[in-house]
Amino acid sequence: MPRFIHYSDVENVYDDPERAGRLAACISELDGPDALVVGTGDNTAPGVVATVSRGRGAIDFFEAIGADVETFGNHDFDFGADATRDIVASSPQTWVSANVRDENGEPFGRAEGVVPWTVESVDGARVGVFGVTDPATDSLNPMAADLGFTDPYEAAEAAVADLRGEGVDYVVAASHLGGGDDDLARVDGVDLVLGGHVHSERAETVDGVLCTRPGVNGEVVLEVELTADGASVTRHEPAPLSGDGDDGRGDEDGRGGDDGRPGSVNERLVASLRERLASAGLDDVVGTVDDPIERTEAAIHGGESRVGNLVADAYRREADADVGLQNAGGIRRGHALAGDVTLADLISIVPFEEPVVTVELTGAELLDAFREMSASVADFGEPDWWHGHVSGAEIVWDDDAAALVAATVGGDPVDPDAVYEVALPEYLLHSDHEFPTIEQRHRAAEHGIQHDAIADYVREAGLSVAVEGRIRRVNRGGDVDDADAADDADDTGDIDDTGGSQ
């Protein structure tokens, strides 16, 4: 019966060549004549290697693993549509996309070989695979603003009808919809949804259809098998290197492969990626830190963290603003910053060629933006995620009540009628998902590239960053995170636009 070796959102794995080599070896060892190697988006960017190679570093990986089928994620357009077309034309796999349109409204990449669906013969079965991408990609990624993204479910229905007309045995959706995969699974005729976009693992059945998602940064590969009785999934982690079991900059939790044996490495891929990094000239040491600055999911999406404070501080300094604000989703998971920290390390935190901008918000708008840091207000991601980091401000949020209890800027309560200058990534002016209160109309000034601002800040201020109580979450999961904040929260409710409570 056909198997599918599923990877997705590997993003910055290329910045750690040995970890990428382990991932490639794991996929190759799972591959076989009865399998398709399928990627479901965000496998070309973002990252340091992606930035210096305009996404082409991923081609080394695609060739190493013998990729068969791929669809587009929002970050696959990070360097513009023409760069994406070049990657498609140069890579070995078939790219499937049923709902992406080019600048003229035609199917994207048709001249380069992109098709809405493909039929592959796998272990004696005819398998149809179609691809769909988040229709909000043009707002998630400014570099995709000139492209069109049609309704993915209507596109799926049309693709399923075509594939069933071709007499396939199975129909598989290669999806970069994230939370939209449940509705995709309910499209009549879909047998399996291989998903991505959201950076948490998934293997769940929706109305009898298995939906999978391998997480982020190549930490996990999923092996899915389709049978006449349904689908099954096996989870694989690229095994550690022999010796001490870790290269010091690999998987955040130090776990090995499922069988615990030393892992093999695709040395050719390792050498290629190392050469790309070396040629970029990004190994200059910018600062040093003795206490490692973590970039785990908990650090990025759990509330205040050292890495979040570092980025927000850098933006506020760059713009000389009242407040610095960084969306949590823009900070990439990866190895901790430890010891000598290079320019490449700092680029890897926010590997986007986008500027810091200043926006002018009323105090009432700023309070709304603070509320939008909570997963109870944001409309994507996991239910316990926190979506922002700040500098120059302090906020108290009651998770149980889903209420903003207190907010100050420069030590003073936010005045709803005052105007505040806020430094943040330009991306937030385009996104409908994160901080929707902040719009293009608020734009007041433009500054340097995000990672350049961080590097300049580190050169001047160093890396002695700490958690200071800027974001205090109380009554989280039934517990109180901070006793003082809990006192603030008693009997106050949510602060309103006049600075009181409601």
Side-chain angles (χ1 to χ4, degrees), residues 293-421:
I293 299 175
E294 298 293 338
R295 293 162 57 198
T296 61
E297 180 177 310
I300 294 170
H301 285 291
E304 183 184 359
S305 69
R306 293 169 68 208
V307 69
N309 287 355
L310 170 65
V311 175
D313 284 348
Y315 291 175
R316 186 162 70 98
R317 172 193 172 278
E318 174 76 8
D320 191 23
D322 301 311
V323 177
L325 174 63
Q326 169 66 41
N327 60 306
I331 298 176
R332 315 320 286 182
R333 286 170 59 182
H335 64 267
L337 303 180
D340 289 340
V341 176
T342 67
L343 185 56
D345 292 325
L346 297 181
I347 293 174
S348 73
I349 299 173
V350 283
F352 308 107
E353 296 291 298
E354 296 176 12
V356 176
V357 297
T358 297
V359 298
E360 293 182 346
L361 302 178
T362 66
E365 291 170 329
L366 183 60
L367 292 173
D368 283 341
F370 288 160
R371 294 183 182 99
E372 290 161 357
M373 294 183 185
S374 170
S376 65
V377 178
D379 66 349
F380 71 101
E382 297 299 319
D384 61 341
W385 276 2
W386 187 257
H387 290 281
H389 300 278
V390 297
S391 174
E394 293 185 3
I395 68 174
V396 180
W397 177 265
D398 188 323
D399 276 297
D400 187 52
L404 181 64
V405 175
T408 64
V409 171
D412 297 322
V414 174
D415 178 353
D417 297 321
V419 174
Y420 296 87
E421 292 187 340

Side-chain angles (χ1 to χ4, degrees), residues 24-40:
C26 176
I27 292 173
S28 296
E29 290 169 359
L30 292 171
D31 195 9
D34 63 338
L36 281 181
V37 176
V38 181
T40 51

Side-chain angles (χ1 to χ4, degrees), residues 35-282:
L36 281 181
V37 176
V38 181
T40 51
D42 283 3
N43 295 312
T44 64
V48 178
V49 168
T51 298
V52 300
S53 69
R54 317 308 287 175
R56 293 185 65 84
I59 298 171
D60 303 344
F61 174 73
F62 295 149
E63 292 176 342
I65 65 174
D68 293 309
V69 181
E70 181 86 23
T71 198
F72 298 107
N74 49 296
H75 284 299
D76 294 316
F77 300 100
D78 274 3
F79 307 106
D82 286 342
T84 306
R85 291 184 179 98
D86 288 343
I87 292 170
V88 169
S90 301
S91 55
Q93 69 268 53
T94 299
W95 290 75
V96 291
S97 176
N99 77 317
V100 181
R101 298 293 180 265
D102 67 16
E103 300 87 341
N104 299 313
E106 299 297 324
F108 177 79
R110 184 163 51 185
E112 290 74 29
V114 179
V115 292
W117 48 261
T118 184
V119 178
E120 306 288 336
S121 295
V122 189
D123 198 33
R126 301 184 74 239
V127 178
V129 185
F130 68 90
V132 284
T133 301
D134 188 341
T137 292
D138 54 353
S139 68
L140 291 171
N141 189 343
M143 298 301 288
D146 292 335
L147 302 179
F149 298 84
T150 66
D151 185 292
Y153 307 109
E154 292 179 1
E157 290 171 355
V160 170
D162 289 344
L163 288 167
R164 291 302 179 188
E166 293 289 324
V168 300
D169 299 301
Y170 301 101
V171 173
V172 177
S175 165
H176 202 80
L177 299 182
D181 283 351
D182 285 14
D183 288 335
L184 190 59
R186 296 185 180 103
V187 171
D188 187 39
V190 171
D191 297 305
L192 173 66
V193 177
L194 303 178
H197 201 14
V198 174
H199 291 179
S200 56
E201 294 178 45
R202 185 188 195 197
E204 296 177 324
T205 299
V206 176
D207 290 356
V209 175
L210 178 65
C211 298
T212 65
R213 196 168 59 223
V216 68
N217 292 347
E219 295 170 0
V220 171
V221 177
L222 298 179
E223 177 186 10
V224 182
E225 184 172 9
L226 276 179
T227 71
D229 298 323
S232 63
V233 59
T234 304
R235 182 179 185 275
H236 299 272
E237 297 178 20
L241 298 171
S242 57
D244 64 3
D246 186 50
D247 63 3
R249 297 166 72 87
D251 299 340
E252 295 163 8
D253 56 10
R255 295 175 296 179
D258 290 341
D259 56 13
R261 293 180 290 105
S264 57
V265 180
N266 186 312
E267 297 290 357
R268 183 174 181 179
L269 177 61
V270 171
S272 174
L273 294 175
R274 280 179 175 163
E275 182 178 349
R276 287 186 183 275
L277 282 169
S279 65
L282 301 175

